Amino acid sequence: MAYAEVFTALADPTRRHIFEALLECPKTVGELAANEVVSRPAVSQHLKVLETAQLVAVEPQGNRRLYSIKSDGLEDLRNYLDRFWSDVLSAYGAEISRRMNNH
Amino acid sequence: MAYAEVFTALADPTRRHIFEALLECPKTVGELAANEVVSRPAVSQHLKVLETAQLVAVEPQGNRRLYSIKSDGLEDLRNYLDRFWSDVLSAYGAEISRRMNNH
DNA sequence: CTCATTGGTAAGGCATGACTTACAGTAAGC
DNA sequence: GCTTACTGTAAGTCATGCCTTACCAATGAG
């Protein structure tokens, strides 16, 4: 039921960029910040949002923190869309039959 | 390639509510606004965002404007997620093999 | 023709969010 | 131990977004 946070998290271009960067392989905050235009603290804040949305996970490794993709958030979003998808199709069916009756 | 606008559009709770209301059947602006907490102009502005994201379509009917679901936006989002989904899985595979080598 | 209904747009206020710099804390290297 | 590297948090600034009221255009009803 966390699809709301997922929408919010992925609505931001920078957060999408960070998220997509993590698809390649797990990365530290510094590595992620090196590929972004914004500052490192900004990346930290974005990672916090992504973590709340269950899109990433952290694993402290000594001095550094290794961030990696967590599929839970995407799964929530996918379930939300799947539920909608059937509703959309049935809505189309209802609309079509409605038009066939009216026209 | 409009998934960015779709994320932005569906990140707002009111817009999600409007969008979900349209799943039942096409509705006019007044009907939609009657079921929302915000004012009618606010609903109009939300509908504009949803329309930009290819999530709804309009059909003027005399005095009124009938809004209905348009699946294009959801389809874009779905394609984006599908592409990610395979990447997520392959990323997991890489991560697993990486851990098997290291530990 | 006149008035009411419907709905989009403009302008302004206010809250939220994204970014920055500064600071604090913890682990690593010497 | 002392310094350096890595990262999260706090505080403040600035832009963006959402909402409101006011206004205007177009259609329908009488």
Side-chain angles (χ1 to χ4, degrees), chain A residues 28-30 40 44 63-65 67:
Chain A
T28 66
V29 180
R40 183 196 51 74
S44 261
N63 203 8
R64 306 174 300 177
R65 291 166 65 90
Y67 281 88

Side-chain angles (χ1 to χ4, degrees), chain B residues 10-71:
Chain B
L10 294 182
D12 184 84
T14 304
R15 278 196 291 265
R16 274 201 305 272
H17 198 243
I18 293 174
F19 181 70
E20 296 176 12
L22 286 179
L23 281 176
E24 188 192 338
C25 68
K27 292 182 171 63
T28 66
V29 179
E31 290 170 350
L32 288 169
N35 289 330
E36 301 296 331
V37 191
V38 300
S39 67
R40 181 194 52 74
V43 173
S44 260
Q45 292 162 8
H46 282 310
L47 285 169
K48 194 174 186 178
V49 176
L50 289 170
E51 192 180 2
T52 302
Q54 307 283 341
L55 287 168
V56 302
V58 209
E59 187 183 356
Q61 286 196 350
N63 203 8
R64 306 174 300 177
R65 290 165 66 92
L66 199 63
Y67 280 89
S68 58
I69 294 290
K70 186 179 179 184
S71 60

Side-chain angles (χ1 to χ4, degrees), chain A residues 56-91:
Chain A
V56 303
V58 208
E59 187 184 357
Q61 285 195 350
N63 203 8
R64 306 174 300 177
R65 291 166 65 90
L66 199 63
Y67 281 88
S68 59
I69 293 291
K70 186 179 180 184
S71 59
D72 296 20
L74 277 187
E75 213 155 343
D76 287 348
L77 180 57
R78 178 177 262 271
N79 289 336
Y80 178 77
L81 287 186
D82 280 348
R83 182 170 64 79
F84 262 12
W85 201 254
S86 57
D87 287 357
V88 168
L89 293 183
S90 63

